[in-house]
Amino acid sequence: MLTPRVAAIHDMSGFGRCSLTVAIPILSAMGLQCCPLPTAFLSTHTGGFEGFTFLDMTDEIPKIARHWGSLDLDFRAIYSGFLGSERQIGMVTDFIRDFRRQDTIVVVDPVMGDHGAVYQTYTPAMCEGTARLALQADVITPNLTEAALLLGISYGDLPSGETGCREIVERLSLDGQRSVVLAGASSGPELTGAMCFDAKTGRTEAVQTRRVPQEFHGTGDVFTSVLTGALVQGASLPEATRRAVDFVRACAERTAAEALPMREGVDFEPLLGLLIHPAQN
Ligand code: PXL
């Protein structure tokens, strides 16, 4: 059987564990072929470092897409995340239009910010574009900051608690047309996880685990990479969300025990074995 392919449209940050340095190993461990389409190359991610380099790859994207098109590649998933410029929004939209087949799962992680703040390189026009790109998705995976931006409300005005998170995912579902997995949704003081609305069943479910009382960089990318991999493996949305929530918790527990600086991301590499697909052993 052909190893399923995932087109992963994210930046490559050389240090700090996020985007492609997370998506490639996670999808590979899950038995999937990750085909990276880099949006930018940075020396580090932008959260907590100063003086990072930023090589914009915008002009490469249509060339890569054209070459892949000439090879007739098909992808079981198209998974996009951090984008490098406003122009990339139209390019990623075109990529989805050109490569989407009947069984392709389109996951748009509407990466824009975290903890109530927008990332340094994300302009208001890029945030508007991200919302437009997210209209093409089968599944979106915002955190709370991104959910507020997509809803056009301020972070402080988000409805709170489990009921509030249910309301958020349902409002973001485009009348039930799009699945939404809200990352970082908490149903109680000792808990964290996600709230998911599944457009296939019309059901909203909280997927929770015990909270590790510390914040880490890059957990959104770890989360959505595992979720995407599990969906390609055939898991339902709530099952895929459970795998993602449990893996992020395992990473957070390990990283908290090692007291790594937040900006270095989660120490996920020694835990990749948890994701290995049984068929591969
Ligand atoms: O984890 C999201 C992300 C991805 N890529 C880059 C980032 C961030 C968040 O800060 O800076 C370059």
Side-chain angles (χ1 to χ4, degrees):
M1 195 193 76
L2 186 75
T3 298
R5 292 193 194 102
V6 178
I9 311 174
H10 302 255
D11 69 286
M12 171 71 89
S13 288
F15 183 72
R17 294 187 178 108
C18 66
S19 34
L20 285 176
T21 59
V22 163
I24 297 169
I26 286 180
L27 293 169
S28 298
M30 296 179 84
L32 308 170
Q33 181 188 2
C34 180
C35 302
L37 207 176
T39 57
F41 189 96
L42 294 84
S43 50
T44 66
H45 61 69
T46 66
F49 294 96
E50 278 177 21
F52 52 84
T53 68
F54 187 105
L55 177 66
D56 180 354
M57 308 278 273
T58 304
D59 291 332
E60 289 299 308
I61 293 178
K63 293 193 257 175
I64 296 168
R66 222 173 298 125
H67 189 215
W68 285 0
S70 77
L71 299 173
D72 226 9
L73 298 186
D74 53 30
F75 298 105
R76 280 283 286 114
I78 299 170
Y79 164 31
S80 75
F82 183 97
L83 301 181
S85 70
E86 196 187 331
R87 276 201 298 140
Q88 290 185 3
I89 285 141
M91 293 173 178
V92 179
T93 307
D94 291 349
F95 186 93
I96 293 170
R97 181 198 60 207
D98 295 345
F99 286 90
R100 182 180 233 158
R101 307 271 185 271
Q102 216 178 355
D103 65 346
T104 305
I105 304 163
V106 175
V107 179
V108 173
D109 189 356
V111 171
M112 292 184 273
D114 208 355
H115 307 114
V118 177
Y119 294 135
Q120 290 186 56
T121 58
Y122 265 70
T123 61
M126 281 182 74
C127 293
E128 279 163 35
T130 301
R132 263 184 281 119
L133 174 62
L135 296 174
Q136 306 303 318
D138 298 309
V139 184
I140 61 168
T141 57
N143 59 30
L144 286 157
T145 306
E146 292 153 352
L149 289 163
L150 291 174
L151 290 170
I153 61 178
S154 72
Y155 184 64
D157 287 340
L158 280 173
S160 61
E162 180 167 329
T163 319
C165 290
R166 279 181 186 272
E167 186 187 325
I168 293 169
V169 292
E170 284 165 13
R171 275 168 67 184
L172 286 173
S173 74
L174 308 174
D175 288 328
Q177 298 303 301
R178 171 173 78 176
S179 292
V180 181
V181 182
L182 179 66
S186 167
S187 299
E190 306 281 311
L191 297 172
T192 189
M195 182 66 76
C196 68
F197 170 80
D198 186 350
K200 283 199 181 135
T201 60
R203 292 181 51 185
T204 303
E205 246 177 79
V207 178
Q208 296 287 292
T209 191
R210 59 188 176 276
R211 175 192 290 281
V212 177
Q214 206 179 314
E215 299 290 341
F216 304 93
H217 195 272
T219 47
D221 296 327
V222 173
F223 179 86
T224 307
S225 297
V226 176
L227 180 97
T228 302
L231 290 174
V232 172
Q233 288 173 342
S236 68
L237 192 74
E239 285 164 359
T241 304
R242 169 52 66 195
R243 290 202 74 189
V245 164
D246 287 350
F247 188 69
V248 170
R249 194 213 53 243
C251 292
E253 277 177 351
R254 181 185 167 85
T255 311
E258 301 204 331
L260 277 189
M262 176 183 168
R263 67 186 193 176
E264 293 191 19
V266 286
D267 192 29
F268 71 97
E269 296 89 348
L271 297 173
L272 283 171
L274 296 173
L275 298 173
I276 300 246
H277 199 263
Q280 295 178 309
N281 288 332

